[in-house]
Amino acid sequence: MNNSHPKSRVYYTKPSITELEIRYATDAAAHGWGEHCYDYILRFEAMFREHLGVKHAIATSSATGALHMGMAALGIGEGDEVVLGDINWIASAAPIVHLGAKPVLVDVLPDTWCLDPAAVEAAITPRTKAILAVHLYGNLCDLDALLEIGRRHGIPVIEDAAEAIGSVWHGHRAGSIGAFGAFSFHGTKTITTGEGGIFVTNDDALYERVLTLSNHGRARGETRQFWAERIGFKYKMSNLQAAIGCAQLERIDELVDAKRRIFGAYREALYQLPLSMNPEPAGTTNGYWMPTIVVDTGIPFDREVLLAAFKTDNIDGRVFFWPLSSLPSFEPQHEHIVSYSLHMRALNLPSYHDISAADIARVADMVVAHVKGILP
Ligand SMILES: *Cc1c(COP(=O)(O)O)cnc(C)c1O
């Protein structure tokens, strides 16, 4: 940390930790062993099921692990294809590759930055085993269209809701709608356990399969000790992490409200500029994990210049995700015009829960000055 800077640092993200998290973590460290070693995990899963309105939840060490096990339980493997948006964090694609399947990248929509349903439809082949709907930065995918495509082709829609805690689709929380949902509690996310994640589903059979997989292939009810019926995974959340998670879940409304308040303040300050921000279509709620600006096409915006200006003012900036197809593990797909245009025009703004109104203004003023300064 650079304490010599004349201005206080504005972090792009930082967990909100109170006495409650400290109390639960301390309790877990002191007493959460032996017959109590699962107490906070079971409580966390129950609280999460209730929050989301789902039948089943399995706490994991990461969203990546939850996605990996869920896709394995859906039978995705060698030679299969999973369709997802080109603009994404690599964690959504990695489990597909680990299973020997192929991530089929398609272009995204210019307003939600999520999967373009028409592109999904066009990408479906006899090998397509799932559509991976990633709700980017809290923005919801067009679930009506994606679920309809899935039904028509008999393929499941998976929700990567790692960034979509607090987002609601026509009365249903993000992550509770598809075949299964995955969430992340990494330190940068709206609620955190340090590292951590959760798998959720309403499908009893899928739940049982993931439960067995998550326990190194040992089925529930198996009486023989150490009897694994298949090769599974070890992606468990610890009781210590779950203790912090329970405190965060007790505060979930407060934490999501803070994200929404921060987004509102930025929008208020920036709405007159030639840029768009995270959308919130009628009938939906956006959890606004990351307030994001996308400067209009035709404006000579250079994100690197704005990032450099942020840096001189001790403000953290964060670049929009790269098109996955532009990374070394993939083939470039420049025909994804929206994806390749978006990321250079976009930036995530600092949004940790306790950011002050003055610091939001400091960031917003810099965006205003920068964008106004480049207007033709
Ligand atoms: C953070 C994130 C993940 C990965 O979460 P981990 O808990 O770090 O595995 C997956 N998908 C998306 C969209 C994310 O933002």
Side-chain angles (χ1 to χ4, degrees), residues 60-67 88-93 95 132-137 160-164 182-189 194-198 289 318 321:
T60 58
S61 52
S62 66
T64 309
L67 287 168
N88 255 316
W89 172 225
I90 191 77
S92 306
L132 180 55
V134 184
H135 302 302
L136 213 72
Y137 301 131
D160 180 342
E163 306 178 358
F183 289 85
S184 171
F185 309 120
H186 180 257
T188 55
K189 301 287 159 70
E195 293 278 1
I198 204 162
W289 171 56
R318 191 181 123 124
F321 293 128

Side-chain angles (χ1 to χ4, degrees), residues 51-53 140 143 167-174 176-177 282-285:
H51 166 75
L52 214 66
L140 289 153
L143 284 172
S167 296
V168 186
W169 174 263
H170 301 285
H172 301 279
R173 290 196 177 276
S176 70
I177 302 155
T284 71
T285 303

Side-chain angles (χ1 to χ4, degrees), residues 251-263:
R251 300 176 53 225
I252 179 87
D253 291 340
E254 168 202 336
L255 294 172
V256 171
D257 286 352
K259 287 285 187 178
R260 290 183 54 78
R261 195 172 58 244
I262 293 161
F263 180 85

